[in-house]
Amino acid sequence: MIDWEKRYRIMKLHFAAEIILELVYQNFGYPEKIGANISDTKAKVDFVWNGNISETFSFLYSEANRLIELNLPITSDFSNVEAEERYWEVLGFGKVSCGGTHIKTTGEIGPIKLKRDNIGKNKERIEITLVNP
């Protein structure tokens, strides 16, 4: 039996991570993503990064929360049905290949918290948690 509360938390964290990843890509020169993980308590995205990635957090919080508060629809569909290639799209923000299960609107995420973790030389992690899981 599926634990839908847990699954829904994972879906919200997954899309919160998608928003943060896309914001980093669009605004900080597409740094190399070297890892990611989504659980029911937090999401993690790892980058090759020279410096302290928390210097981006003010911008990331502002933009992510703006997108969340706008409660924008999230379209999830096939870009290639035969190859089973899927994408998500938020009009005016991004269209990204992703085979994951997605929520219906950005507002479902609710407020988020970001935390930095230095995971090695020139390797930085952004941890994302939900304020109201």
Side-chain angles (χ1 to χ4, degrees):
M1 177 174 255
I2 295 174
D3 180 342
W4 285 109
E5 285 184 28
K6 179 179 178 179
R7 180 71 188 136
Y8 189 53
R9 283 192 308 274
I10 292 170
M11 290 168 63
K12 291 191 296 184
L13 281 162
H14 174 193
F15 209 79
E18 292 278 7
I19 287 174
I20 295 299
L21 178 61
E22 190 63 15
L23 285 169
V24 169
Y25 279 169
Q26 290 178 8
N27 296 282
F28 299 99
Y30 288 85
E32 181 183 357
K33 181 181 91 171
I34 55 173
N37 182 271
I38 314 293
S39 73
D40 67 320
T41 58
K42 66 182 166 184
K44 301 182 275 189
V45 185
D46 301 337
F47 298 96
V48 172
W49 192 272
N50 186 15
N52 184 333
I53 204 162
S54 68
E55 293 170 1
T56 68
F57 282 11
S58 177
F59 173 80
L60 294 175
Y61 272 123
S62 173
E63 287 302 301
N65 285 322
R66 182 182 67 80
L67 290 165
I68 291 165
E69 288 170 11
L70 287 171
N71 197 31
L72 299 169
I74 301 165
T75 301
S76 184
D77 206 348
F78 286 95
S79 53
N80 182 331
V81 175
E82 291 176 9
E84 297 183 10
E85 295 171 356
R86 296 182 53 83
Y87 70 90
W88 64 259
E89 182 176 23
V90 174
L91 288 177
F93 175 61
K95 182 176 181 178
V96 176
S97 294
C98 180
T101 306
H102 298 107
I103 53 182
K104 300 292 183 199
T105 68
T106 58
E108 288 181 59
I109 298 167
I112 61 172
K113 289 190 224 177
L114 302 179
K115 180 182 171 192
R116 171 198 181 235
D117 190 7
N118 176 279
I119 56 172
K121 185 177 181 188
N122 296 326
K123 296 176 183 173
E124 293 278 308
R125 171 175 290 157
I126 298 175
E127 292 184 357
I128 305 137
T129 55
L130 304 173
V131 173
N132 303 312

